[in-house]
Every structure is written in structure tokens, then in C-alpha cells.
Amino acid sequence: MRATSSPSTVTDASLTRCTSARTRAYSARMAAVDEVAAYLESVPGLGVRRLAHAEWGLTIPGDSVGGDPIEASLRIADGLLRVQAIALHAAGDLDPWMLLWWNRQTRLVRFGCTRSQDIWVHADIPVSDAGEQGVDRLLGLITEAVVALRGHAAGVRAAS
């Protein structure tokens, strides 16, 4: 080994584990997939597409949210249930600093944007909380954030 090379990054895994943040075993994650699937199938009017073993596509009908439908996806990976939903396409007319301020005001939910100025809403919870109540809360927060952002955009555009 040359003197200029980096030191080894090999460590004893047991020394780096945080015992209070361990995720459940693989079988519990499998149970979470079943719980999420059962919950999604039980929601009337929700459009659900199974994309892969632990991934779903959702369509929340527009009449349920007072406007356009909400397209979202759910995925279980790396010990988290993650949801993301497109809120607005090409929203370059909105103040991005407002979204950063909103990110500091919310719990679990955050806003992000793409280079094409599409605005997305993201949220995730530990897979151990992905029971019926946890999934319902997560989807409710995502829906609330999308509706609030669309309402804000309508107000900004009406004032212009």
C-alpha cells in the first residue's frame, strides 16, 4: 500500500450499529408489503397499480381533491415507505424560496423540483410504521401538501 492512498474503510459492523434505529427483519418488511397492499385495496375510488413487489402507482381522483387528479407512487426500500407525487408541471412562475420556507414548516412532507421546474411532494416513514394508520396519515399529508401548493399557485397566477 502506498503512503498516499486512503486508509482502509473496513470496520467491524457491530461497532457501527445504532441499536435504537434498527429496522425490522426481512419477514417484517414482507408483512409491511402485505399491509400496504391491503390498505390501498381497501380505499374506495383510489386508482392503484402494482408496479413491482413493493411498489405501487396511485391516482387520487380529482373530484376527491377539488381539481386535477394526483398521480403518486409508493415504494418500500431501505427500511422506508416512500411516497412521491407530482404537484405541478413547469411551475417556474412560483417563488422557489416559498417552497424552502414551507419545507421548514411541515412534518414528514417536503417539496422538491426538477430542472424542468416540475414541483414534487415527497414523504417517507419507517417501514415499521407502515400499518393502516401510518399509510393513511402519509397519503393524507401528501394529498394536503399537493392541494395547498396547487391552491397557492392558483392564487399567484390569478394575481399576475
Side-chain angles (χ1 to χ4, degrees):
M1 189 154 121
R2 296 185 315 180
T4 58
S5 64
S6 299
S8 172
T9 58
V10 176
T11 60
D12 182 9
S14 65
L15 297 176
T16 60
R17 290 189 184 138
C18 177
T19 57
S20 64
R22 288 186 183 157
T23 58
R24 290 185 179 176
Y26 184 74
S27 60
R29 185 174 48 179
M30 297 293 286
V33 169
D34 296 335
E35 283 191 53
V36 170
Y39 171 76
L40 294 176
E41 292 169 7
S42 73
V43 178
L46 184 67
V48 180
R49 301 169 304 284
R50 187 80 178 250
L51 305 175
H53 173 66
E55 293 183 36
W56 299 266
L58 303 179
T59 303
I60 301 169
D63 57 345
S64 298
V65 293
D68 294 331
I70 298 174
E71 294 292 330
S73 64
L74 279 82
R75 180 175 185 220
I76 295 176
D78 302 323
L80 295 172
L81 172 61
R82 178 181 171 86
V83 181
Q84 57 187 25
I86 183 75
L88 293 169
H89 293 284
D93 56 334
L94 297 183
D95 179 8
W97 300 109
M98 178 59 75
L99 298 177
L100 289 175
W101 182 77
W102 280 6
N103 277 347
R104 292 187 49 102
Q105 309 302 313
T106 61
R107 301 279 186 252
L108 300 178
V109 175
R110 61 202 173 278
F111 299 91
C113 66
T114 64
R115 284 183 160 178
S116 61
Q117 299 176 336
D118 295 340
I119 300 177
W120 288 78
V121 179
H122 306 265
D124 44 48
I125 57 173
V127 75
S128 59
D129 295 340
E132 180 178 337
Q133 185 177 9
V135 176
D136 186 65
R137 178 177 184 220
L138 193 63
L139 291 178
L141 290 170
I142 285 281
T143 301
E144 183 179 36
V146 169
V147 169
L149 182 61
R150 288 178 179 176
H152 172 71
V156 166
R157 291 170 181 161
S160 298

